Amino acid sequence: RPPRSTPLYSSAASDVYKRQKLYKAGPYADFFAEGVLVDDLLTLAGQIGVDANGETPDDLKGQMLVCYENIRAILEEFGATMENVVDETWFVTDVEECMQQVGELFRARETIYGCKPEVSQTLVGVTALVDPALKIEIKFFSCCDLISFESLGL
């Protein structure tokens, strides 16, 4: 195999790193960012149903509500709201349980968004999450074209 002719991180990639704004918090702040903003794209790490006090509800809906509270808090760090969300992915440990409650879950989701959300949404069944008590993790992409770095003090 011939030697690599370009460095692993090209100048285009390093330019992205220069333009990104990070939000790091929580016990894993040394390992990854909870939110990354590059230009007008804001990505959030998957959020789990553990609240600020370290508590996890036992039920799927309760965990989902906490996930969204965590998501809203990170969006606020970037001056964004649920209106900026364009895509969400739910990772659940029991798809059948989720689908049995989908009406109730989506009604609660509409309350969180303040309307029927106009976002793309994917549901993925997984065998486990980072903690055995967890039933759901939610990952988001947001478009923040109306947010200026100056308004964030960045």
Side-chain angles (χ1 to χ4, degrees):
R1 188 171 159 180
R4 184 183 293 268
S5 60
T6 58
L8 185 58
Y9 293 103
S10 69
S11 61
S14 64
D15 182 52
V16 168
Y17 291 117
K18 291 176 189 172
R19 294 191 330 266
Q20 72 182 11
K21 306 300 177 195
L22 305 176
Y23 172 69
K24 293 185 170 195
Y28 301 106
D30 288 341
F31 302 106
F32 62 86
E34 295 290 336
V36 177
L37 178 67
V38 177
D39 299 328
D40 65 353
L41 177 65
L42 173 60
T43 64
L44 273 63
Q47 297 300 305
I48 56 177
V50 179
D51 68 18
N53 298 319
E55 300 293 324
T56 302
D58 293 329
D59 64 308
L60 179 61
K61 181 181 175 187
Q63 288 189 23
M64 180 199 77
L65 294 172
V66 173
C67 288
Y68 279 110
E69 287 174 20
N70 295 338
I71 289 161
R72 217 186 314 233
I74 296 168
L75 289 170
E76 287 176 7
E77 290 291 329
F78 290 93
T81 67
M82 297 300 288
E83 292 179 1
N84 296 98
V85 174
V86 295
D87 179 79
E88 61 180 36
T89 302
W90 289 15
F91 300 93
V92 297
T93 56
D94 189 335
V95 172
E96 185 176 331
E97 176 187 10
C98 182
M99 295 311 294
Q100 288 172 351
Q101 302 176 55
V102 73
E104 181 182 355
L105 295 173
F106 272 43
R107 281 189 297 278
R109 180 174 167 254
E110 286 176 24
T111 301
I112 292 162
Y113 274 92
C115 63
K116 284 189 184 229
E118 295 184 358
V119 301
S120 54
Q121 205 263 354
T122 303
L123 176 66
V124 179
V126 296
T127 57
L129 294 168
V130 69
D131 181 312
L134 295 172
K135 297 174 177 279
I136 186 169
E137 180 171 325
I138 305 175
K139 181 166 179 49
F140 270 60
F141 288 90
S142 299
C143 183
C144 301
D145 59 339
L146 301 177
I147 299 172
S148 69
F149 287 133
E150 294 79 25
S151 70
L152 298 173
L154 302 174

